[in-house]
Amino acid sequence: MIRYHRRAWIALFLILAGTFTVLGFLGREIYRQAPPLPARIVTEGGELIWTRDDILTGQEVWQSAGGQQVGSIWGHGAYQAPDWSADWLHREAVLLRETWSVEEHGVETSELPVGAVAALEARVASELRTNRFDAASDTLVVSEDRARAMRAVAAHYDGLFGGAPALSGLREDYALAEEAIPDPERREKLTAFFFWTSWASTTERPDAAVTYTNNWPHEPLVQNRPSAANVVWSIVSVVLLLAGIGALVAYEAFQRKASGPVEPPASDPLRRIAPTPSMRAVGKYCAVVVGLFVVQVLLGAVTAHYTVEGRAFFGFPLGEWLPYAVTRTWHIQTGMFWIATAFLSLGLFLAPLIGGAEPRFQKLGVNVLFGALLLVVVGSLAGEYLSISQELELGTSFWFGHQGYEYVDLGRAWQIALFGGLVLWLVLVLRGVWPALVKRTSERSLLGLFVGSAVAIGLFYGAGFFYGPRTHLSVAEYWRWWVVHLWVEGFFEVFATAATAFLFARLGLVRTESATRNVLFSTAIFLVGGIPGTLHHLYFSGTPVAVMAVGATFSALEVVPLVLLGLEAAQTLRMGRLAPWVERYRWPIRFFVGVAFWNLVGAGLFGFLINPPIALYYMQGLNTTPVHAHTALFGVYGLLSLGLLLVIMRQLKREVAWKDAALGYAFWAMNIGLGLMVALSLLPIGILQTIASVEHGTWYARSAEFLQQPLLERLRWWRIVGDTVFLSGVFMFAWFVLGLWAGWSVEREAQELEPAPAMT
């Protein structure tokens, strides 16, 4: 078995080295082949329209106003307002077509014969797809006709963000504040940035037949259609998925035969150890987790409601004080905060338990970290509000307000402070587990994974420092997904897997050797797909075709290990019937079973729904994405965090039995509510949007014209059913946790505990 561990560790290190080499090499290609930022954009007559500085300043304006929380760029961001790249592209193409139709035929295209319209559209496509950027002079030259269309589209956006009365109804459809950007100069720069993202979406790369964004968005007017590479690599990803699942099922069948049943101990091993002062200090982290959880779901309910009433909440003009961009930013940020805090709590709680002793000043460190986390939460949320309200200068906004990128919205100063908190957390965890880590025991390999993933959590968040406010958008997106995919979806998952395996091993529900083998194996195959699979988020972000090839190939393998989780969860649930004391952990175990279900359905099924390039080409930026996001982020990481929280509270309130009827209701209401939210609203809207995207183009699937149809409005209203059920479960969970300290959720157990030895 030790030889197996050595081989597994060698394989894991080789996988890490190989996959990060691939990710790093393609990152270099993203830097090299990113769409150019012209120093000047001029007309054929030499008139200056915009400069590179205008574009980058416009990017900063976009960030300060909420960035990806107000519509989307290249498909990344919020779903209520348009994708600005696709919207600009369509408006510009239509204006060119109609201008030429009137000038040359005297009528609009609706009155022209089909052949004449086709000829005009072919001319529009040629005009917009032809690359007129001259690298030698660093200049983009546009025709006089195109320049007029660009100015007209820019005037539309100036009025939209500047409060033009004629566009008030459209702003309400977009859930956009009446005067989202009051400064005219900022609005003018914003239009330069929007134009550039659209230009990259429709201009072909030199010596290539695809645009800088691999022909995304779908736009028939300019012949933006799926490329051959898009189709080929989609087929490859499906074949690899099927092959990987088949191989894994065969391996699992062999492993099941090789391992016999486990006989759990007669009593709960963890009840023999009294919590240390630092472990008890983690209790306040649990309270903050639950509090932020409640705030997050309330913000989510308000944000969802804005999609049907624009800026009102059941008639009350709440959007005047809390606009959509603010509530959505806070909804995502508080979600990240409470889930991350739950994981950090587990590390702090387990450290003395693993090490067998309470390190000196450990409680002080836990309390200092708690204060630092509260400062980051409050400071970052306040800064985001001030930024979206346009109360901050652009430079100040990026540092103390809003970075503009989804999931890493908090200002850079708060991001640095959070990174410092993660480093402090890492130090506290390492000093706690070190005595056990240096011993040659059967747990050493499992602890090695636990520590390694803790180091990754502490340090990989720093990937978000590799871009700034004026960094090229393609490059910023590359590093952003290092944080969102690798930090959140990657190493947090490895940490949780190792931590729960350690807990189950200490409880005697699994053999240490078996747990170690399974965690090493699952970590290896997860990272094989997960690290290069980061690139599947970047198919259409101004990246080369190689990014699509590698992202599609490896991201298909991310789904493979999820197939085993259902079997693992079912086996764990059966363990609860083998010893009476395991009943104390039945609700944490059921939360872990819920994680397995949503991992397979949310991360697996709904994730792969949008993973193949051909699927994402039509679905990028549609409501199929929040289907995956909600079921994976809450269904997996949310339920996992709550389950781990219950394990901690089970030990902190170890002398009492739980009155868990409220907890049972909370579990089922949250899971059923999440399912109803998807089935009644998000998924049907996403499917209808996909049909519209295939038939008419991405712009139409995201337009107010499509989304404000009666059927789509009813589907958004129907979400209230799932949201209400879900919210009732959240409130009941909070009520139960509050009752653990207030008394209504507990009762004295009939059998008193034996005195537990305190750790030194």
Side-chain angles (χ1 to χ4, degrees):
M1 189 62 67
I2 293 175
R3 187 178 299 130
Y4 171 87
H5 289 175
R6 187 179 298 115
R7 291 198 304 267
W9 275 106
I10 292 172
L12 184 57
F13 281 125
L14 290 175
I15 286 168
L16 288 170
T19 52
F20 273 112
T21 298
V22 170
L23 189 60
F25 173 78
L26 287 171
R28 172 179 172 271
E29 291 304 298
I30 290 172
Y31 273 84
R32 275 198 334 109
Q33 301 187 47
L37 281 162
R40 301 187 313 142
I41 302 173
V42 300
T43 66
E44 290 172 336
E47 180 186 355
L48 179 67
I49 303 176
W50 288 307
T51 66
R52 178 186 296 136
D53 184 70
D54 292 333
I55 296 169
L56 292 176
T57 302
Q59 180 173 303
E60 290 186 85
V61 174
W62 167 72
Q63 292 164 348
S64 72
Q68 291 176 340
Q69 306 295 356
V70 184
S72 59
I73 294 288
W74 292 344
H76 294 295
Y79 312 101
Q80 184 65 9
D83 180 272
W84 305 114
S85 312
D87 191 66
W88 179 296
L89 173 56
H90 183 75
R91 290 178 184 277
E92 185 180 348
V94 168
L95 280 168
L96 270 176
R97 184 188 65 184
E98 296 306 312
T99 298
W100 289 337
S101 177
V102 171
E103 287 180 351
E104 298 174 10
H105 300 281
V107 295
E108 296 181 349
T109 54
S110 59
E111 300 179 48
L112 288 177
V114 174
V117 173
L120 281 175
E121 291 182 351
R123 184 178 167 190
V124 169
S126 176
E127 173 75 16
L128 298 187
R129 292 183 71 88
T130 301
N131 195 332
R132 294 188 174 89
F133 171 72
D134 179 49
S137 62
D138 207 4
T139 300
L140 171 63
V141 180
V142 298
S143 68
E144 298 293 342
D145 287 342
R146 184 173 188 182
R148 285 197 298 271
M150 289 161 56
R151 292 188 188 100
V153 178
H156 166 77
Y157 287 122
D158 181 77
L160 182 68
F161 286 89
L167 297 175
S168 181
L170 195 57
R171 280 191 294 274
E172 185 171 344
D173 291 340
Y174 293 166
L176 193 64
E178 267 302 311
E179 202 172 7
I181 303 177
D183 186 344
E185 185 178 352
R186 288 193 180 190
R187 294 199 300 271
E188 197 268 337
K189 307 297 186 188
L190 178 67
T191 60
F193 173 65
F194 283 175
F195 164 76
W196 175 79
T197 66
S198 172
W199 174 82
S201 300
T202 189
T203 302
E204 293 184 352
R205 289 180 178 273
D207 304 318
V210 296
T211 70
Y212 285 105
T213 57
N214 292 312
N215 284 358
W216 192 92
H218 180 223
E219 178 51 80
L221 274 179
V222 297
Q223 298 176 13
N224 263 13
R225 300 185 181 94
S227 64
N230 187 301
V231 177
V232 168
W233 290 111
S234 297
I235 295 171
V236 169
S237 71
V238 173
V239 171
L240 282 175
L241 171 66
L242 296 175
I245 289 176
L248 199 61
V249 169
Y251 172 85
E252 177 65 11
F254 173 79
Q255 286 298 116
R256 292 287 181 196
K257 292 178 182 178
S259 58
V262 177
E263 185 68 31
S267 60
D268 181 357
L270 294 184
R271 296 186 76 181
R272 303 167 192 161
I273 303 172
T276 67
S278 71
M279 292 167 71
R280 292 195 177 279
V282 173
K284 55 181 168 288
Y285 284 74
C286 298
V288 167
V289 167
V290 176
L292 286 175
F293 179 32
V294 172
V295 170
Q296 189 229 352
V297 296
L298 289 173
L299 288 166
V302 171
T303 304
H305 195 80
Y306 282 157
T307 67
V308 293
E309 285 197 75
R311 296 184 295 269
F313 187 73
F314 293 101
F316 181 75
L318 184 62
E320 293 181 14
W321 298 277
L322 287 177
Y324 176 93
V326 170
T327 60
R328 192 174 191 273
T329 297
W330 286 357
H331 173 62
I332 291 177
Q333 281 301 116
T334 51
M336 295 287 289
F337 282 142
W338 76 259
I339 290 173
T341 302
F343 279 82
L344 301 185
S345 302
L346 179 68
L348 295 173
F349 188 83
L350 287 181
L353 185 65
I354 293 172
E358 172 87 337
R360 195 178 182 191
F361 303 123
Q362 184 79 351
K363 180 181 177 181
L364 175 63
V366 171
N367 289 333
V368 169
L369 178 60
F370 180 77
L373 289 176
L374 285 183
L375 177 64
V376 169
V377 171
V378 175
S380 65
L381 296 182
E384 287 157 356
Y385 183 88
L386 292 173
S387 177
I388 292 171
S389 301
Q390 298 290 284
E391 298 290 340
L392 304 176
E393 296 297 323
L394 291 184
T396 305
S397 176
F398 184 85
W399 278 91
F400 295 96
H402 206 302
Q403 288 193 40
Y405 294 104
E406 204 173 22
Y407 296 103
V408 282
D409 306 83
L410 71 173
R412 178 56 54 85
W414 306 115
Q415 189 181 21
I416 292 172
L418 180 56
F419 180 75
L422 291 171
V423 172
L424 174 58
W425 171 80
L426 178 60
V427 170
L428 293 172
V429 171
L430 289 179
R431 69 198 298 265
V433 303
W434 190 257
L437 190 62
V438 296
K439 295 179 182 177
R440 291 186 173 275
T441 66
S442 60
E443 292 181 338
R444 194 177 186 186
S445 282
L446 193 57
L447 289 179
L449 274 173
F450 176 84
V451 170
S453 57
V455 171
I457 288 173
L459 301 182
F460 263 79
Y461 186 71
F465 301 146
F466 286 97
Y467 63 85
R470 296 170 74 87
T471 299
H472 192 291
L473 184 61
S474 298
V475 173
E477 280 288 77
Y478 171 72
W479 288 114
R480 178 174 79 94
W481 286 108
W482 272 62
V483 177
V484 180
H485 186 89
L486 284 179
W487 186 65
V488 177
E489 298 182 46
F491 293 109
F492 262 117
E493 182 147 337
V494 175
F495 176 80
T497 302
T500 51
F502 174 83
L503 276 173
F504 284 142
R506 279 290 176 96
L507 287 169
L509 300 181
V510 295
R511 293 189 180 89
T512 300
E513 292 294 344
S514 176
T516 304
R517 183 180 64 248
N518 289 340
V519 172
L520 279 168
F521 177 72
S522 62
T523 298
I525 61 174
F526 175 76
L527 294 180
V528 163
I531 293 174
T534 304
L535 298 171
H536 83 263
H537 298 284
L538 301 170
Y539 294 156
F540 312 118
S541 297
T543 56
V545 173
V547 167
M548 181 186 297
V550 173
T553 300
F554 284 91
S555 65
L557 299 176
E558 288 185 76
V559 183
V560 173
L562 306 182
V563 175
L564 296 181
L565 290 177
L567 297 173
E568 296 275 350
Q571 184 184 30
T572 303
L573 195 59
R574 284 195 296 270
M575 294 299 299
R577 306 186 184 101
L578 299 181
W581 63 268
V582 182
E583 182 69 10
R584 292 168 53 84
Y585 297 95
R586 65 172 177 154
W587 283 113
I589 289 173
R590 287 184 182 179
F591 272 80
F592 298 150
V593 173
V595 170
F597 172 80
W598 289 112
N599 223 336
L600 184 58
V601 174
L605 178 63
F606 292 140
F608 194 74
L609 173 69
I610 59 176
N611 261 12
I614 189 63
L616 194 58
Y617 180 82
Y618 291 110
M619 294 181 182
Q620 176 118 311
L622 308 185
N623 274 270
T624 47
T625 302
V627 167
H628 167 59
H630 282 82
T631 53
L633 188 60
F634 176 76
V636 178
Y637 294 100
L639 287 179
L640 179 58
S641 299
L642 297 179
L644 296 174
L645 208 67
L646 291 174
V647 172
I648 294 173
M649 291 186 289
R650 180 69 275 179
Q651 298 309 311
L652 293 179
K653 290 292 179 180
R654 57 202 303 275
E655 72 280 1
V656 294
W658 286 358
K659 297 178 181 177
D660 54 12
L663 186 56
Y665 175 86
F667 173 79
W668 289 111
M670 286 189 288
N671 281 280
I672 293 171
L674 180 60
L676 290 173
M677 182 195 311
V678 169
L680 295 179
S681 183
L682 289 177
L683 187 57
I685 292 173
I687 291 172
L688 291 173
Q689 280 186 299
T690 302
I691 295 170
S693 175
V694 172
E695 291 183 347
H696 303 289
T698 305
W699 73 272
Y700 181 67
R702 288 288 301 273
S703 68
E705 178 184 353
F706 177 76
L707 288 174
Q708 299 307 318
Q709 295 179 85
L711 174 59
L712 274 297
E713 283 199 343
R714 281 197 296 272
L715 287 172
R716 292 199 297 276
W717 272 110
W718 287 350
R719 178 171 167 172
I720 199 171
V721 177
D723 285 0
T724 302
V725 174
F726 185 86
L727 282 166
S728 70
V730 173
F731 293 146
M732 197 62 76
F733 186 90
W735 175 259
F736 170 80
V737 172
L738 182 61
L740 291 180
W741 275 264
W744 59 70
S745 297
V746 298
E747 60 185 352
R748 179 68 58 181
E749 289 189 310
Q751 183 178 0
E752 295 292 330
L753 283 174
E754 297 178 5
M759 284 188 278
T760 58

